[in-house]
C-alpha cells in the first residue's frame, strides 16, 4: 500500500516485506481486461491483498488479526483490496470491543489509514464509475470510527472525521454532532 500516492503510508510496523512470500507476486494484464495474478497451477483475478481482505477473520485472535492486516498492506493489491482489508479488520475489532478495550486504538489506527486511502484515491469507491453523480459507497469502517469517537466523548474528533467524509456524500449524523459540539462550546463560555 505504500505505493499508493497520497496516502502517506510508510510501511507496516514490525513487518519485513521481503519475508512475505506474496510480496514478489506481479500481475499481468488478462485477456478479459483487468489483472491476473499468478497462483500455483494457474492465474486468478484475486491479488494477494484481496485474499487477505476476504479471508475469514472471525476466529483470529487480536495479535493474529493485526499481523494479518499489517502484512496484507505490504503485499501487492488494489486500492479496493486494501480498503476491504482495513474495513474487515475494523468490523472484527469493533465486534470484540467488549472483550478487549485495547482493540479500540487499533480500530482507530486502521480507520484513519482507510480514510486516508479513500481520500487519496476515491474513484474505486464510486457507486457507478460511469455516473459519478450517483455518489460513493458507504464507508462502514470509518462510520464505526466516528461512532467510537462519539461514544468516548471525542465529539470534536468525530465531527472532524465526519467533515472529511462529507466529500463522499456521507454526512452521518452531522447535524446532531454539530449541535453537541455547539452545546459544549456554549457550556465552556
Amino acid at each position: 500500500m505504500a505505493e499508493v500516492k497520497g496516502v502517506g503510508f510508510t510501511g507496516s510496523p514490525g513487518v519485513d516485506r521481503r519475508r512475505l512470500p506474496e510480496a514478489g507476486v506481479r500481475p499481468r494484464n488478462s485477456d478479459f481486461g483487468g489483472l491476473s495474478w499468478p497462483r500455483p497451477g494457474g492465474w486468478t483475478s484475486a491479488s494477494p491483498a484481496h485474499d487477505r481482505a476476504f479471508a475469514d477473520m472471525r476466529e483470529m485472535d487480536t495479535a493474529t488479526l493485526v499481523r494479518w492486516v499489517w502484512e496484507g498492506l505490504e503485499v501487492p493489491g488494489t486500492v479496493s483490496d486494501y480498503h476491504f482489508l482495513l474495513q474487515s479488520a475494523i468490523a472484527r475489532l469493533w465486534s470484540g470491543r467488549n472483550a478487549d478495550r485495547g482493540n479500540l486504538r487499533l480500530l482507530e489506527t486502521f480507520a484513519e489509514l482507510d480514510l486516508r486511502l479513500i481520500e487519496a484515491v476515491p474513484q474505486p469507491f464510486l457507486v457507478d464509475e460511469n455516473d459519478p453523480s450517483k455518489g460513493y459507497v458507504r464507508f462502514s469502517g470509518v462510520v464505526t470510527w466516528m461512532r467510537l469517537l462519539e461514544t468516548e466523548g471525542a465529539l470534536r474528533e468525530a465531527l472532524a472525521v465526519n467533515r472529511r467524509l462529507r466529500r463522499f456524500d456521507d454526512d452521518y449524523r452531522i447535524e446532531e454532532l454539530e449541535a453537541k459540539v455547539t452545546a459544549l462550546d456554549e457550556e465552556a463560555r
Side-chain angles (χ1 to χ4, degrees), residues 162-179:
N162 198 314
R163 287 181 175 150
R164 288 170 65 186
L165 259 187
R166 286 187 86 180
R167 169 181 171 201
F168 306 104
D169 305 321
D170 197 340
D171 59 356
Y172 174 78
R173 300 180 51 222
I174 193 157
E175 284 133 11
E176 185 178 332
L177 282 170
E178 286 173 338

Side-chain angles (χ1 to χ4, degrees), residues 32-45:
F32 307 103
L35 299 175
S36 289
W37 300 84
R39 288 274 168 92
W43 291 81
T44 180
S45 61

Side-chain angles (χ1 to χ4, degrees), residues 18-184:
R18 297 167 299 186
R19 292 181 179 245
L20 299 173
E22 315 105 298
V25 172
R26 296 292 175 255
R28 70 174 186 196
N29 290 325
S30 75
D31 296 336
F32 307 103
L35 299 175
S36 289
W37 300 84
R39 288 274 168 92
W43 291 81
T44 180
S45 61
S47 74
H50 182 276
D51 290 342
R52 286 180 179 260
F54 293 95
D56 186 356
M57 298 180 200
R58 290 177 296 182
E59 300 302 319
M60 291 182 186
D61 61 49
T62 301
T64 303
L65 172 73
V66 170
R67 182 128 188 107
W68 183 258
V69 173
W70 286 131
E71 288 178 353
L73 297 177
E74 294 295 328
V75 298
T78 66
V79 168
S80 294
D81 295 335
Y82 299 129
H83 162 70
F84 285 112
L85 176 62
L86 290 164
Q87 185 168 271
S88 295
I90 291 163
R92 173 68 179 79
L93 291 167
W94 182 250
S95 71
R97 70 190 175 281
N98 293 329
D100 185 356
R101 299 288 291 171
N103 293 347
L104 299 178
R105 175 59 59 200
L106 293 165
L107 184 153
E108 288 186 78
T109 298
F110 290 155
E112 167 66 25
L113 191 53
D114 192 26
L115 183 52
R116 289 184 359 224
L117 177 68
I118 294 162
E119 288 171 325
V121 189
Q123 295 81 4
F125 307 109
L126 287 166
V127 170
D128 182 347
E129 287 186 24
N130 296 319
D131 185 1
S133 69
K134 291 184 178 178
Y136 295 87
V137 298
R138 185 158 173 93
F139 302 111
S140 63
V142 179
V143 170
T144 298
W145 179 30
M146 283 189 297
R147 189 174 333 146
L148 168 64
L149 290 168
E150 184 178 7
T151 301
E152 297 293 317
L155 299 176
R156 284 177 178 45
E157 291 85 351
L159 183 57
V161 170
N162 198 314
R163 287 181 175 150
R164 288 170 65 186
L165 259 187
R166 286 187 86 180
R167 169 181 171 201
F168 306 104
D169 305 321
D170 197 340
D171 59 356
Y172 174 78
R173 300 180 51 222
I174 193 157
E175 284 133 11
E176 185 178 332
L177 282 170
E178 286 173 338
K180 287 180 179 182
V181 169
T182 299
L184 279 176

